[in-house]
Amino acid sequence: MNWEAVGQKRLLNLDELEEIIMAAYNNAKIYKDKTKKWHDQKILPRPYQPGQQVLLFNSRLKLFPGKLKSRWSGPFIITNVSPHGAITIKSPRDNHEFKVNGQRLKPYMGAHIERDKAVMSLRDA
């Protein structure tokens, strides 16, 4: 047995393994960049202005959500828009302000419906 030849072969195998690892790392980076580019083109920028009414998406996990219950709450009023996507909204009921991600909002396109009066009028009919 020639120990020097075995040692040289082992070093060559380690170099090959390092090259394979670097190739896999580069391929993973290329894949992630392509996936991010595809995902980012699906996200539509929504321009919001202060004073605009919006609905807020309730993303909390619920074990038994109502089948017909809406996951959108609001309307809320925008008070401040940051350039990086954070939006400060205010509740018209109690004037409580908080910041949310702009992707959790959508423009409010309707009039406020008082649910109690709508239910009462349906019961009377």
Side-chain angles (χ1 to χ4, degrees), residues 18-34:
E18 219 172 280
E19 288 178 12
I20 291 171
I21 290 171
M22 286 305 292
Y25 176 78
N26 289 335
N27 288 339
K29 184 172 169 94
I30 291 169
Y31 172 76
K32 287 179 183 178
D33 289 341
K34 284 183 179 180

Side-chain angles (χ1 to χ4, degrees), residues 60-112:
R60 286 188 295 173
L61 176 66
K62 303 229 180 186
L63 294 177
F64 300 103
K67 186 173 183 179
L68 301 176
K69 185 178 178 185
S70 176
R71 298 198 61 174
W72 293 94
S73 60
F76 295 95
I77 300 171
I78 295 178
T79 57
N80 187 14
V81 179
S82 316
H84 52 82
I87 297 177
T88 306
I89 59 175
K90 177 176 73 169
S91 174
R93 293 183 200 125
D94 56 2
N95 289 332
H96 177 68
E97 285 192 3
F98 51 95
K99 282 189 178 185
V100 295
N101 187 343
Q103 293 184 0
R104 291 183 58 203
L105 299 176
K106 73 176 178 180
Y108 179 64
M109 301 290 185
H112 181 68

